[in-house]
């Protein structure tokens, strides 16, 4: 169904008003506006960086955006230190689970963010076109202090991403 939307504009020193008619496919408009735009955060294990990015994005992003995270070789659980440092900033990740990266996730995402790769053979950037690469160090095996620095870097990057949407 097409709906006509009229608008009038006034340009200084030009009279009269200019009337513009625009036709919008309302079915597509409703679908696009009701469907949240997905932002996908990817890494190899989906146990630390991408999970933290998902948590921060869920906190800071407008409601029309939905975060997801996944990995090419996900582990069975999220890094407990990542959960701990996120709790320190008021974000509970205990309900999040590592997920395997799929073509469907990639296709349905408005943006894909690669957190950084230590394992070049399994790097998500190899499988995704037009990926944003943040190159954040892998928190695996790091101390709690190093994990906090990584968390803070991810928060900064997520806030910058949210303001650019």
């Amino acid at each position: 169904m097409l709906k006509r939307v009229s608008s009038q504009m006034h340009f200084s020193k030009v009279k009269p008003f200019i009337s513009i008619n625009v036709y919008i496919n309302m079915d597509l408009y409703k679908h696009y506006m009701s469907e949240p735009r997905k932002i996908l955060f990817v890494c190899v294990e989906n146990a630390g960086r991408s999970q933290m990015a998902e948590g921060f994005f869920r906190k800071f992003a407008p409601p029309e955006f939905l975060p997801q995270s996944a990995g090419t070789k996900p582990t069975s659980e999220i890094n407990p230190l990542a959960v701990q440092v996120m709790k320190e900033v008021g974000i509970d990740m205990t309900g999040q689970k590592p997920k395997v990266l799929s073509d469907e996730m990639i296709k349905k995402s408005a943006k894909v963010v690669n957190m950084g790769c230590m394992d070049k053979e399994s790097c998500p950037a190899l499988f995704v076109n037009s990926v944003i690469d943040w190159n954040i160090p892998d928190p695996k095996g790091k101390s709690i202090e190093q994990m906090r620095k990584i968390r803070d870097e991810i928060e900064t990057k997520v806030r910058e991403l949210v303001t650019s949407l």
Side-chain angles (χ1 to χ4, degrees):
M1 172 176 92
L2 292 178
K3 181 177 181 181
R4 189 178 85 156
V5 180
S6 295
S7 178
Q8 291 188 342
M9 293 187 279
H10 182 268
F11 298 95
S12 61
K13 299 182 184 180
V14 177
K15 293 181 184 177
F17 286 100
I18 297 173
S19 184
I20 298 173
N21 292 319
V22 177
Y23 292 88
I24 298 173
N25 182 325
M26 292 307 290
D27 293 331
L28 287 175
Y29 177 79
K30 286 177 189 173
H31 172 74
Y32 180 75
M33 294 311 287
S34 65
E35 191 73 24
R37 297 183 68 201
K38 293 181 181 170
I39 306 299
L40 178 61
F41 299 95
V42 295
C43 62
V44 176
E45 293 184 346
N46 190 218
R49 297 168 292 180
S50 55
Q51 293 286 351
M52 288 190 276
E54 178 181 340
F56 279 124
F57 194 86
R58 194 174 312 283
K59 180 177 181 176
F60 298 124
E64 64 269 17
F65 289 92
L66 178 68
Q68 264 190 311
S69 66
T72 52
K73 290 184 179 177
T75 60
S76 59
E77 63 181 23
I78 297 177
N79 182 328
L81 277 183
V83 174
Q84 181 181 336
V85 298
M86 290 299 281
K87 276 187 180 174
E88 293 173 0
V89 294
I91 297 174
D92 183 6
M93 295 193 327
T94 55
Q96 293 175 208
K97 303 283 183 221
K99 298 165 284 304
V100 67
L101 179 63
S102 70
D103 286 338
E104 184 79 7
M105 287 176 169
I106 295 166
K107 287 177 188 171
K108 290 190 173 189
S109 296
K111 291 189 185 290
V112 179
V113 178
N114 184 45
M115 302 306 293
C117 288
M118 301 301 131
D119 178 0
K120 297 297 181 196
E121 292 175 6
S122 302
C123 183
L126 298 174
F127 311 105
V128 182
N129 292 327
S130 64
V131 67
I132 301 166
D133 202 340
W134 283 355
N135 202 27
I136 294 174
D138 189 354
K140 187 176 181 177
K142 301 282 194 283
S143 70
I144 188 85
E145 293 82 18
Q146 292 169 314
M147 184 72 83
R148 287 182 183 121
K149 287 180 183 175
I150 291 168
R151 174 204 61 203
D152 295 344
E153 183 179 354
I154 292 170
E155 179 180 10
T156 299
K157 296 257 188 201
V158 168
R159 285 179 179 267
E160 289 170 1
L161 176 63
V162 167
T163 59
S164 74
L165 297 175

